Amino acid sequence: MFQRFYPDNEVDSAYDINYETLYEKGGRGVIFDIDNTLVPHGAPADERAVQLFVRLRRIGFRTVLLSNNKEPRVKSFAESVGSLYVFKAGKPGGRGYAKAMTDMGTTPENTLFVGDQLFTDVWGAKKMGIVTYLVKPIHPKEEIQIVLKRKLERIVLFFYHRRMRGW
């Protein structure tokens, strides 16, 4: 029942992913959520985020920031890290993911998605056939609607972790 929300991979941080290996395996594009995936909610790009995108470009990856936020927030972050972006993406709907792949010139088979929410980020990417990486939220301070979703996410993750342990 919950499998549609299960991530393909779960890691502590977007900064812990071995992007070099993923590129060697054929990955060519990475779609990122911003808030609580790369920086705390509402924070500007920090040096760690900037350096991650420098690293990704050096490896050969194309990147897109995919956010349900309005353009001023997404554009300023994208300019700081040097990435393409899609704002008001309508996650978990597929339109934003499709635009991100078109902008990067990638397909679901060579695109990765990195985000912190199951019901928007992961579910939307999985519906599009994109390999997903669920990261732990960077900071506990979140908008009320996200706090409520986190309670439901804990239930789904309980069953996901139980399944991963082979129960």
Side-chain angles (χ1 to χ4, degrees), residues 102-113:
T102 297
D103 290 353
M104 290 188 295
T106 62
T107 65
E109 294 77 26
N110 63 7
T111 302
L112 314 164
F113 183 86

Side-chain angles (χ1 to χ4, degrees), residues 119-163:
F119 302 133
T120 51
D121 299 333
V122 170
W123 187 30
K126 285 183 70 83
K127 288 192 302 185
M128 296 298 291
I130 300 169
V131 171
T132 59
Y133 284 79
L134 177 68
V135 300
K136 292 180 180 170
I138 289 177
H139 194 276
K141 181 179 179 283
E142 297 181 300
E143 296 174 338
I144 187 64
Q145 71 271 16
I146 296 172
V147 171
L148 296 173
K149 283 193 277 185
R150 294 282 186 213
K151 292 179 185 304
L152 296 173
E153 283 183 355
R154 279 198 287 276
I155 296 166
V156 174
L157 287 171
F158 169 81
F159 288 103
Y160 168 73
H161 292 137
R162 193 167 102 175
R163 181 178 182 187

Side-chain angles (χ1 to χ4, degrees), residues 1-159:
M1 177 165 102
F2 293 133
Q3 289 86 349
R4 77 181 87 193
F5 302 114
Y6 290 173
D8 298 307
N9 303 277
E10 187 178 27
V11 294
D12 285 340
S13 167
Y15 301 97
D16 293 340
I17 297 170
N18 188 334
Y19 295 101
E20 291 79 3
T21 298
L22 294 172
Y23 191 86
E24 289 171 13
K25 291 181 176 181
R28 293 299 178 262
V30 185
I31 303 171
F32 287 96
D33 176 52
I34 300 172
D35 289 322
N36 256 346
T37 295
L38 295 169
V39 293
H41 186 80
D46 57 17
E47 186 59 27
R48 184 168 75 154
V50 171
Q51 288 308 309
L52 173 62
F53 283 80
V54 167
R55 175 180 159 209
L56 291 166
R57 281 191 295 278
R58 192 175 337 112
I59 294 167
F61 273 111
R62 306 260 347 242
T63 61
V64 171
L65 299 169
L66 185 69
S67 177
N68 287 344
N69 275 308
K70 295 177 183 170
E71 188 172 22
R73 162 72 176 139
V74 183
K75 181 180 180 182
S76 67
F77 196 96
E79 288 173 346
S80 296
V81 299
S83 179
L84 300 170
Y85 68 93
V86 177
F87 66 98
K88 291 176 106 176
K91 296 182 289 184
R95 176 188 54 82
Y97 296 90
K99 179 170 180 7
M101 288 186 286
T102 297
D103 290 353
M104 290 188 295
T106 62
T107 65
E109 294 77 26
N110 63 7
T111 302
L112 314 164
F113 183 86
V114 181
D116 69 301
Q117 293 188 54
L118 289 178
F119 302 133
T120 51
D121 299 333
V122 170
W123 187 30
K126 285 183 70 83
K127 288 192 302 185
M128 296 298 291
I130 300 169
V131 171
T132 59
Y133 284 79
L134 177 68
V135 300
K136 292 180 180 170
I138 289 177
H139 194 276
K141 181 179 179 283
E142 297 181 300
E143 296 174 338
I144 187 64
Q145 71 271 16
I146 296 172
V147 171
L148 296 173
K149 283 193 277 185
R150 294 282 186 213
K151 292 179 185 304
L152 296 173
E153 283 183 355
R154 279 198 287 276
I155 296 166
V156 174
L157 287 171
F158 169 81
F159 288 103

